[in-house]
Amino acid sequence: MKRAEANDLIAIGQVGKEHYQQGDYESAFEYWTKAAEMGDAEAHVDLSILYVTGQGVEKDEKKEIHHMEEAAIAGHPRARFRLACYEGAGGRLDRAVKHFIIAANLGHDDSIQALKDFYKGGLVSKEDFAAALRAHQAAVDATKSPQREAAKDNA
Protein backbone atom coordinates (compact mmCIF):
# COMPACT_ATOMS: atom_id res chain seq x y z
CA MET A 1 0.00 0.00 0.00
CA LYS A 2 2.91 2.35 0.72
CA ARG A 3 4.14 1.94 -2.86
CA ALA A 4 0.68 2.82 -4.21
CA GLU A 5 0.58 5.91 -1.99
CA ALA A 6 3.96 6.88 -3.47
CA ASN A 7 2.36 6.73 -6.95
CA ASP A 8 4.13 3.53 -8.00
CA LEU A 9 2.34 2.63 -11.23
CA ILE A 10 2.62 -1.14 -10.78
CA ALA A 11 1.53 -0.98 -7.15
CA ILE A 12 -1.52 1.12 -8.00
CA GLY A 13 -2.63 -1.41 -10.61
CA GLN A 14 -2.02 -4.28 -8.18
CA VAL A 15 -4.10 -2.62 -5.46
CA GLY A 16 -6.86 -2.27 -8.05
CA LYS A 17 -6.63 -6.01 -8.80
CA GLU A 18 -6.82 -6.83 -5.09
CA HIS A 19 -9.98 -4.74 -4.72
CA TYR A 20 -11.44 -6.38 -7.84
CA GLN A 21 -10.76 -9.88 -6.48
CA GLN A 22 -12.50 -8.91 -3.25
CA GLY A 23 -15.56 -7.75 -5.20
CA ASP A 24 -14.95 -4.06 -4.46
CA TYR A 25 -15.35 -2.93 -8.06
CA GLU A 26 -15.76 0.76 -7.25
CA SER A 27 -12.35 0.89 -5.55
CA ALA A 28 -10.82 -1.19 -8.34
CA PHE A 29 -12.21 1.34 -10.79
CA GLU A 30 -10.62 4.24 -8.87
CA TYR A 31 -7.18 2.62 -8.71
CA TRP A 32 -7.25 1.45 -12.32
CA THR A 33 -8.37 4.88 -13.48
CA LYS A 34 -5.39 6.44 -11.71
CA ALA A 35 -3.02 3.83 -13.16
CA ALA A 36 -4.48 4.31 -16.65
CA GLU A 37 -4.04 8.06 -16.40
CA MET A 38 -0.39 7.38 -15.57
CA GLY A 39 -0.04 5.28 -18.74
CA ASP A 40 -0.58 1.71 -17.52
CA ALA A 41 -1.83 -0.34 -20.50
CA GLU A 42 -2.99 -3.21 -18.27
CA ALA A 43 -5.15 -0.78 -16.27
CA HIS A 44 -6.84 0.29 -19.51
CA VAL A 45 -7.63 -3.37 -20.25
CA ASP A 46 -9.00 -3.81 -16.74
CA LEU A 47 -11.17 -0.71 -17.09
CA SER A 48 -12.52 -1.95 -20.41
CA ILE A 49 -13.58 -5.18 -18.72
CA LEU A 50 -15.44 -3.21 -16.04
CA TYR A 51 -17.27 -1.28 -18.75
CA VAL A 52 -18.24 -4.41 -20.68
CA THR A 53 -19.44 -6.28 -17.56
CA GLY A 54 -20.94 -3.31 -15.73
CA GLN A 55 -19.04 -4.12 -12.54
CA GLY A 56 -18.75 -0.94 -10.49
CA VAL A 57 -19.74 1.21 -13.47
CA GLU A 58 -22.58 1.43 -15.95
CA LYS A 59 -22.05 -0.68 -19.04
CA ASP A 60 -20.67 1.57 -21.74
CA GLU A 61 -19.44 0.19 -25.06
CA LYS A 62 -17.81 3.46 -26.12
CA LYS A 63 -15.73 3.63 -22.94
CA GLU A 64 -14.94 -0.08 -23.21
CA ILE A 65 -13.56 0.41 -26.72
CA HIS A 66 -11.77 3.64 -25.75
CA HIS A 67 -9.82 1.86 -23.01
CA MET A 68 -9.14 -1.13 -25.23
CA GLU A 69 -7.78 1.19 -27.93
CA GLU A 70 -5.58 3.02 -25.42
CA ALA A 71 -4.14 -0.30 -24.23
CA ALA A 72 -3.61 -1.49 -27.80
CA ILE A 73 -1.83 1.74 -28.74
CA ALA A 74 0.43 1.19 -25.72
CA GLY A 75 1.38 -2.23 -27.10
CA HIS A 76 -0.87 -4.55 -25.11
CA PRO A 77 -1.32 -7.73 -27.24
CA ARG A 78 -4.50 -8.99 -25.56
CA ALA A 79 -6.12 -5.59 -26.04
CA ARG A 80 -5.19 -5.69 -29.72
CA PHE A 81 -6.68 -9.20 -29.94
CA ARG A 82 -9.92 -8.08 -28.30
CA LEU A 83 -10.15 -5.14 -30.71
CA ALA A 84 -9.71 -7.58 -33.59
CA CYS A 85 -12.57 -9.69 -32.25
CA TYR A 86 -14.75 -6.59 -31.86
CA GLU A 87 -14.02 -5.46 -35.41
CA GLY A 88 -14.61 -8.96 -36.78
CA ALA A 89 -17.94 -9.23 -34.98
CA GLY A 90 -18.90 -5.90 -36.55
CA GLY A 91 -18.12 -7.23 -40.02
CA ARG A 92 -14.99 -5.11 -40.45
CA LEU A 93 -12.77 -8.05 -41.32
CA ASP A 94 -10.01 -5.97 -42.91
CA ARG A 95 -9.58 -4.07 -39.65
CA ALA A 96 -9.80 -7.31 -37.66
CA VAL A 97 -6.99 -8.84 -39.73
CA LYS A 98 -4.78 -5.79 -39.13
CA HIS A 99 -5.32 -6.02 -35.37
CA PHE A 100 -4.67 -9.78 -35.38
CA ILE A 101 -1.42 -9.24 -37.31
CA ILE A 102 -0.21 -6.61 -34.84
CA ALA A 103 -1.10 -8.82 -31.86
CA ALA A 104 0.59 -11.83 -33.48
CA ASN A 105 3.69 -9.70 -34.06
CA LEU A 106 3.69 -9.08 -30.31
CA GLY A 107 3.67 -12.83 -29.65
CA HIS A 108 -0.05 -13.34 -28.95
CA ASP A 109 -0.82 -17.01 -29.61
CA ASP A 110 -4.60 -16.71 -30.09
CA SER A 111 -4.03 -14.05 -32.74
CA ILE A 112 -1.79 -16.30 -34.80
CA GLN A 113 -4.47 -19.00 -34.57
CA ALA A 114 -7.11 -16.52 -35.76
CA LEU A 115 -4.88 -15.52 -38.66
CA LYS A 116 -4.46 -19.19 -39.53
CA ASP A 117 -8.23 -19.54 -39.69
CA PHE A 118 -8.52 -16.36 -41.77
CA TYR A 119 -5.80 -17.65 -44.11
CA LYS A 120 -7.69 -20.92 -44.56
CA GLY A 121 -10.79 -18.87 -45.34
CA GLY A 122 -8.94 -16.79 -47.93
CA LEU A 123 -9.07 -13.56 -45.92
CA VAL A 124 -5.30 -13.31 -45.38
CA SER A 125 -2.68 -13.65 -48.10
CA LYS A 126 0.02 -16.29 -47.91
CA GLU A 127 2.65 -13.55 -47.69
CA ASP A 128 0.91 -11.74 -44.83
CA PHE A 129 0.36 -14.97 -42.92
CA ALA A 130 3.98 -16.04 -43.40
CA ALA A 131 5.24 -12.64 -42.25
CA ALA A 132 2.98 -12.79 -39.17
CA LEU A 133 4.24 -16.29 -38.36
CA ARG A 134 7.87 -15.14 -38.56
CA ALA A 135 7.21 -12.06 -36.43
CA HIS A 136 5.24 -14.12 -33.89
CA GLN A 137 8.07 -16.62 -33.58
CA ALA A 138 10.60 -13.82 -33.20
CA ALA A 139 8.53 -12.27 -30.41
CA VAL A 140 8.21 -15.63 -28.65
CA ASP A 141 11.93 -16.30 -29.02
CA ALA A 142 12.73 -12.86 -27.60
CA THR A 143 11.07 -13.86 -24.32
CA LYS A 144 13.20 -16.98 -23.94
CA SER A 145 16.28 -17.07 -21.77
CA PRO A 146 18.29 -19.80 -20.04
CA GLN A 147 16.97 -18.56 -16.69
CA ARG A 148 13.34 -18.81 -17.82
CA GLU A 149 13.90 -22.27 -19.28
CA ALA A 150 15.52 -23.45 -16.04
CA ALA A 151 12.66 -22.01 -14.00
CA LYS A 152 10.13 -23.73 -16.26
CA ASP A 153 11.93 -27.04 -15.86
CA ASN A 154 11.95 -26.69 -12.06
CA ALA A 155 8.26 -25.78 -11.84
Side-chain angles (χ1 to χ4, degrees):
M1 194 65 154
K2 285 184 182 181
R3 305 258 342 141
E5 290 170 3
N7 285 331
D8 180 306
L9 181 63
I10 303 300
I12 292 168
Q14 188 59 39
V15 171
K17 286 194 185 306
E18 290 170 9
H19 282 285
Y20 181 83
Q21 291 168 345
Q22 296 167 3
D24 183 0
Y25 305 122
E26 290 81 9
S27 293
F29 174 79
E30 290 176 24
Y31 280 96
W32 287 338
T33 297
K34 184 174 183 178
E37 288 170 352
M38 295 171 69
D40 185 4
E42 185 69 29
H44 278 292
V45 172
D46 294 333
L47 286 169
S48 75
I49 292 168
L50 291 181
Y51 281 113
V52 75
T53 61
Q55 294 172 309
V57 295
E58 280 190 45
K59 287 185 179 186
D60 188 325
E61 185 179 10
K62 285 184 181 181
K63 288 182 181 178
E64 170 204 355
I65 297 304
H66 165 75
H67 286 290
M68 201 55 61
E69 288 173 341
E70 290 294 320
I73 290 167
H76 197 287
R78 191 178 47 163
R80 191 64 75 169
F81 174 79
R82 289 188 58 210
L83 279 175
C85 294
Y86 174 79
E87 296 292 357
R92 296 173 295 279
L93 299 181
D94 56 328
R95 291 177 61 109
V97 167
K98 289 176 184 177
H99 285 302
F100 281 135
I101 288 172
I102 294 168
N105 291 349
L106 295 169
H108 192 265
D109 294 335
D110 291 338
S111 293
I112 205 71
Q113 184 60 47
L115 286 170
K116 180 180 173 184
D117 295 341
F118 276 43
Y119 171 68
K120 287 179 181 177
L123 298 170
V124 175
S125 71
K126 183 177 182 178
E127 295 79 21
D128 286 344
F129 183 57
L133 275 173
R134 286 190 302 274
H136 176 266
Q137 190 59 53
V140 170
D141 290 346
T143 65
K144 292 183 180 176
S145 70
Q147 295 86 356
R148 284 183 190 228
E149 296 302 316
K152 189 188 320 179
D153 293 339
N154 293 330

